[in-house]
Amino acid sequence: MTNYESKLRRFRPRPLYERLNADLSLADETFDSSCVLKGASGESSLSWPSPMFLRQGVDSSCSEQMAALLGRLRRELGVSTYRSHDDSSTPDSRSLAAGIEIVPVYVNEYFQPATFHHAEQIEVQFFQGISDPNSHASASQARLTKTHWIPRMPRDISSIEQLSRRVDMLRQSSDQQGVLVGAAIAACSIYDDVRYIIDAGFDYVTLLTHITGELLTSQSLELHPVDSAISTATRAIQDSGRKGFSLLVTTPPARPSQAIDWFSAGVRAIGIDAMLQQFRPANTSQSGDSFGGFMGGYGRPSASRFEWIYDATEDFIEGLISECRFVGLDSLQQLDAS
Amino acid sequence: MNGTVELSLSSICGARLHHAIGEVLLSQQSRETAADISTVAIRVVGDGVHHFVGVGLSYPNHIDVVGSVGDYAFCGADNVEVTIDGDAGEFAAHSLRSGQVVIKGSVTDSLGSMAVGGLVAVYGTAGVRTGICLNGADVFVRGNVGAEAGYCMQQGTLIIGGNAGEKLGRGLRGGTIYLRGDVVSVSEDIEEQRLREPDRLKLGLLLLKAGIKTPSGKEFRVFRRRLDS
């Protein structure tokens, strides 16, 4: 078992002498906060409007109101979200103007290719599925124990060649040219797992370092320190020699300046569930979470229960852009080259 | 019957077959407005072995594939009636949801993996781990199957008309295996039980559905999960 650990490379802000020719009107221009995920072949790529994603709805249950909010976050703020496990609808078409919706596929559950006929991004979840008969996944508490996140290979796969063929099958199951197929895995044996995922032909890996329960609660679970996970994963990517392989991570509650360090270290996009959770209003709790929460929610318009999530996301994006300008970045894609 | 439409397999593997059939049926409907397009038969002609044929297909029309297909043929197909006039590769009818897939030739490994509904019938032989993680569908193989048939099966029925290889039913948690021939070894997870009348009835119906005309079922042995396991 190999386990390389190294320190995270920190971002170096642009010094004053390098800002001599900086355009003073820059602050008035629209900041380019997009990021690009590249495919394994190097030919396909997918541009995300913003380098952020939310795993609500895939790591936790998703009510209709939450689904509506996730749709708004995608469309209006460019935050990528996952299709809910409960959503088995088969949309007639997909428009990128509606934002990026990632379709999750669990390793030990049967496929429903009809649900990803038009998917632009498919992600294999290397842990037990929601409907696994041996799982107690319906209980949100069970998802906040490490047992739920034990990395698992598909039971019907016995070699990396077979896994690679399955990745090809998933690519072929969407009618979108250059669909990206990624892998989500709990941060455990990071170096070896990332190398394996690269060798199997995936386009990117989502490393789960921090699991967040439903945003209306304060429940969370740390699987691995995020800085160490990022440095180990980026080393694995460098050692593999694969150009363009993208690293996505779920992060603990953090400040925008920390996010810049992660992007600078090679992370393409971050999961911001935990960051949003820290902005949860004190009087907001899920129905059933406590008696006080139930009484507190009584008589209040239900849609507003989630409005703070939208506001917190908007604030975080503004904070990140402000931080980027402060340290001298014109776009987030500049960090790829640094 | 509104006739047969022919498609070439050369450029329509994967999800594209679903869309190609959709377009053909739409144009057929626009030509004959009163026509019931569900009765239009589709004939898919292959030119070499293509992988991922018919992934996610969901049309009730009879689809006849002329020639062999590669891996993951008709994976996740729903409400289909397919006949393949040739062989199929690994993971044929993986995650099949409903309908019927008949393969007149032989298949390689992991036939019917994770299939949740419908019937998969193979008239030739099958490779290792036939019916792996089977989750509700019925799988019939007329000839021999390789090792570990019924591996980690959850529910459903696996009917083996020939002989079975080593470790039959390894890791089986549910469902039924019917075996007509000999077996190299039976795993400790399953045990042979007496063939009862409901078994004979079920076998007869499934064999008839699979197109087998001698459905007495008497020569079969039945295996289920060991009760003390």
Side-chain angles (χ1 to χ4, degrees), chain A residues 169-221:
Chain A
M169 186 276 289
L170 290 171
R171 268 187 227 292
Q172 293 288 336
S173 63
S174 171
D175 63 351
Q176 299 287 315
Q177 291 290 330
V179 58
L180 297 186
V181 181
I185 188 160
C188 183
S189 177
I190 299 168
Y191 185 90
D192 293 312
D193 288 347
V194 172
R195 288 295 300 267
Y196 189 81
I197 283 164
I198 292 170
D199 291 345
F202 286 95
D203 298 313
Y204 71 93
V205 64
T206 300
L207 213 50
L208 308 182
T209 64
H210 199 91
I211 305 298
T212 310
E214 288 165 25
L215 292 178
L216 296 178
T217 70
S218 58
Q219 299 162 326
S220 66
L221 171 72

Side-chain angles (χ1 to χ4, degrees), chain A:
Chain A
M1 185 69 69
T2 324
N3 206 352
Y4 298 95
E5 295 284 347
S6 58
K7 282 192 171 177
L8 189 71
R9 186 165 58 95
R10 300 281 167 193
F11 175 70
R12 186 183 72 92
R14 192 189 288 186
L16 185 62
Y17 62 85
E18 283 183 16
R19 299 187 193 229
L20 285 173
N21 298 322
D23 186 353
L24 292 175
S25 63
L26 179 69
D28 299 320
E29 292 174 11
T30 307
F31 185 84
D32 179 11
S33 59
S34 65
C35 70
V36 177
L37 271 63
K38 288 178 182 161
S41 64
E43 292 167 6
S44 56
S45 64
L46 183 64
S47 181
W48 279 25
S50 124
M52 292 168 208
F53 61 92
L54 270 175
R55 284 187 65 89
Q56 290 297 305
V58 65
D59 291 344
S60 54
S61 60
C62 188
S63 63
E64 275 184 31
Q65 293 157 12
M66 177 57 87
L69 177 81
L70 293 177
R72 279 181 64 205
L73 290 174
R74 273 201 312 273
R75 281 191 309 275
E76 297 169 18
L77 299 182
V79 175
S80 301
T81 64
Y82 286 74
R83 174 175 288 196
S84 163
H85 188 271
D86 308 323
D87 184 0
S88 59
S89 61
T90 53
D92 290 336
S93 62
R94 279 279 300 132
S95 163
L96 285 180
I100 305 290
E101 188 180 53
I102 304 162
V103 180
V105 174
Y106 289 90
V107 283
N108 285 326
E109 288 187 10
Y110 66 93
F111 298 134
Q112 300 182 58
T115 63
F116 41 89
H117 263 164
H118 306 297
E120 59 270 359
Q121 194 165 337
I122 300 170
E123 194 175 280
V124 181
Q125 313 292 310
F126 280 85
F127 38 82
Q128 82 185 16
I130 303 283
S131 63
D132 190 317
N134 298 315
S135 108
H136 302 288
S138 54
S140 58
Q141 280 295 341
R143 294 194 202 114
L144 294 167
T145 61
K146 286 194 172 179
T147 310
H148 186 80
W149 304 98
I150 294 171
R152 288 169 197 240
M153 276 288 286
R155 269 198 294 265
D156 58 346
I157 293 279
S158 53
S159 67
I160 193 165
E161 289 76 23
Q162 283 190 332
L163 183 59
S164 182
R165 180 55 57 86
R166 181 152 298 176
V167 174
D168 290 341
M169 186 276 289
L170 290 171
R171 268 187 227 292
Q172 293 288 336
S173 63
S174 171
D175 63 351
Q176 299 287 315
Q177 291 290 330
V179 58
L180 297 186
V181 181
I185 188 160
C188 183
S189 177
I190 299 168
Y191 185 90
D192 293 312
D193 288 347
V194 172
R195 288 295 300 267
Y196 189 81
I197 283 164
I198 292 170
D199 291 345
F202 286 95
D203 298 313
Y204 71 93
V205 64
T206 300
L207 213 50
L208 308 182
T209 64
H210 199 91
I211 305 298
T212 310
E214 288 165 25
L215 292 178
L216 296 178
T217 70
S218 58
Q219 299 162 326
S220 66
L221 171 72
E222 187 188 50
L223 297 174
H224 201 283
V226 67
D227 285 3
S228 144
I230 291 170
S231 58
T232 309
T234 49
R235 182 181 289 274
I237 294 168
Q238 280 167 11
D239 289 355
S240 76
R242 249 283 289 285
K243 301 284 181 201
F245 184 84
S246 301
L247 171 65
L248 283 63
V249 291
T250 60
T251 61
R255 298 182 305 278
S257 57
Q258 286 172 286
I260 290 181
D261 278 336
W262 296 328
F263 292 134
S264 172
V267 174
R268 199 68 72 184
I270 54 171
I272 57 170
D273 302 65
M275 285 187 225
L276 297 183
Q277 202 178 38
Q278 69 184 334
F279 295 111
R280 181 176 66 101
N283 62 343
T284 308
S285 59
Q286 197 177 17
S287 176
D289 193 32
S290 70
F291 183 70
F294 169 74
M295 293 305 286
Y298 184 75
R300 193 173 40 190
S302 54
S304 65
R305 279 207 315 158
F306 296 113
E307 206 51 39
W308 64 271
I309 297 174
Y310 187 95
D311 296 340
T313 308
E314 201 169 26
D315 288 348
F316 186 80
I317 292 172
E318 279 175 14
L320 180 66
I321 291 173
S322 170
E323 187 75 27
C324 285
R325 284 172 171 161
F326 181 69
V327 296
L329 285 169
D330 300 331
S331 74
L332 275 178
Q333 288 185 37
Q334 256 186 295
L335 287 170
D336 299 346
S338 68

